[in-house]
Amino acid sequence: MDYQVFVNTMIETLKFDEKFKEHRDKILPIIRRSKVNSIAKYAFAIRPGQHYEDVELRVPIPLINEANKLKDHIAGLVGYVYEESDDYALGSTLIKPQMLYSETQEDREHDVVFSEIEETIIQGIRDARFLIWAAVAWFTNKTIYDELLKKKEEGLNIRIAISDEETNSKLLPNLKANFELTVISRHGWNNYNRMHDKFCIIDLDYVMHGSYNWTPTANHNEETLATALDKDYVKKFADEFMRLFKKQF
């Protein structure tokens, strides 16, 4: 089994197959951050010479309780995607914690996407449990705004820093009314210089950053979004966000 292909297929199935719609938003972050192993069994399956294999999901420890609650649904997804071969048939689906090989080890995961960027950002927002801090030069995307508002209603701390741009006036009243907001003035010769960042911090654990502004037109551009689950890396973005959030030109 090519495990990366298997994981990618589960992710795409969750996105588009209505069969998994009810629990999609809860299962997606678990599958994205889990490591998949197979455990060959001695027991024979149906075909001559064919054995069973268990599929083991090693889940990050902060997500293990949620994964156990959803075990039956995850097992259903694994069984739906699993491709039987002449050598192996699916046995059980096992949920286990990812191993920590030292007391100081932390999860580190870096990735980059070039398509479905809006969807990746929305999923990151949905994964948030405590806070969301975003520094985005242009913010006119109502879909992303609505996702942030849902998180605000759940009690999360939402802070936004945007540039002082005419096009941002579309959402500006709503942003001011609902979130902690800083509008960073343009400066320099002829007010040409501006805050040009595009990054979003989730729970001080995860960051999304790149070329993508939170605007509808960005969905039609060639854009890049890098993601990182890396506390040391995220801390640098958090320090920069705090500097920007208090900045006055």
Side-chain angles (χ1 to χ4, degrees):
M1 180 193 296
D2 185 323
Y3 301 113
Q4 192 56 56
V5 170
F6 186 62
V7 169
N8 290 343
T9 304
M10 286 197 291
I11 290 171
E12 292 303 305
T13 301
L14 282 169
K15 289 179 183 177
F16 298 108
D17 196 320
E18 292 297 307
K19 182 175 182 177
F20 299 97
K21 181 179 180 180
E22 182 179 356
H23 300 284
R24 176 183 298 154
D25 292 343
K26 293 181 179 178
I27 296 177
L28 257 175
I30 295 170
I31 298 299
R32 278 188 169 129
R33 297 177 187 173
S34 296
K35 297 175 182 177
V36 177
N37 303 313
S38 72
I39 302 173
K41 312 295 286 187
Y42 289 110
F44 285 101
I46 298 172
R47 300 181 190 176
Q50 185 190 54
H51 293 265
Y52 284 110
E53 66 175 338
D54 293 342
V55 172
E56 177 187 75
L57 270 71
R58 288 285 181 175
V59 179
I61 290 172
L63 297 177
I64 193 70
N65 286 335
E66 189 70 19
N68 283 324
K69 290 176 186 176
L70 296 165
K71 181 177 179 179
D72 290 344
H73 300 287
I74 293 172
L77 173 65
V78 169
Y80 190 54
V81 172
Y82 182 87
E83 186 173 32
E84 187 175 311
S85 70
D86 291 335
D87 296 319
Y88 291 105
L90 179 63
S92 301
T93 298
L94 308 176
I95 306 293
K96 293 188 176 183
Q98 283 186 14
M99 299 300 293
L100 297 178
Y101 294 102
S102 73
E103 293 181 1
T104 59
Q105 179 181 347
E106 295 176 349
D107 288 328
R108 286 183 173 84
E109 177 184 321
H110 294 256
D111 197 7
V112 62
V113 295
F114 302 97
S115 62
E116 299 181 349
I117 292 177
E118 180 186 79
E119 182 178 323
T120 302
I121 291 170
I122 287 172
Q123 188 58 52
I125 290 169
R126 288 175 178 173
D127 289 351
R129 295 176 296 163
F130 306 112
L131 66 83
I132 300 169
W133 293 351
V136 186
W138 285 271
F139 186 176
T140 60
N141 187 314
K142 182 66 162 50
T143 302
I144 294 177
Y145 165 80
D146 288 341
E147 294 293 334
L148 289 172
L149 190 58
K150 291 175 186 176
K151 286 297 181 178
K152 167 69 180 306
E153 291 167 353
E154 291 176 16
L156 274 70
N157 173 252
I158 313 289
R159 289 183 173 183
I160 310 290
I162 61 174
S163 178
D164 184 11
E165 309 288 341
E166 180 64 30
T167 51
N168 282 335
S169 61
K170 178 180 179 181
L171 273 181
L172 189 60
N174 290 335
L175 295 174
K176 283 183 174 179
N178 290 293
F179 309 126
E180 294 182 45
L181 179 74
T182 288
V183 180
I184 299 179
S185 301
R186 293 165 63 172
H187 60 287
W189 182 82
N190 204 26
N191 286 331
Y192 180 79
N193 302 104
R194 55 172 57 83
M195 188 276 285
H196 208 253
D197 288 294
K198 297 103 177 174
F199 65 86
C200 179
I201 298 164
I202 305 294
D203 294 339
L204 298 179
D205 289 327
Y206 180 73
V207 67
M208 303 175 283
H209 64 99
S211 64
Y212 183 92
N213 278 297
W214 289 5
T215 67
T217 55
N219 291 324
H220 307 289
N221 298 336
E222 301 297 328
E223 303 278 2
T224 302
L225 185 76
T227 62
L229 183 68
D230 182 330
K231 285 190 175 180
D232 291 339
Y233 191 73
V234 173
K235 181 182 181 299
K236 295 176 182 178
F237 277 96
D239 289 342
E240 175 64 8
F241 181 83
M242 291 301 295
R243 186 188 70 81
L244 287 171
F245 198 72
K246 297 183 292 183
K247 192 173 184 64
Q248 295 292 327
F249 291 111

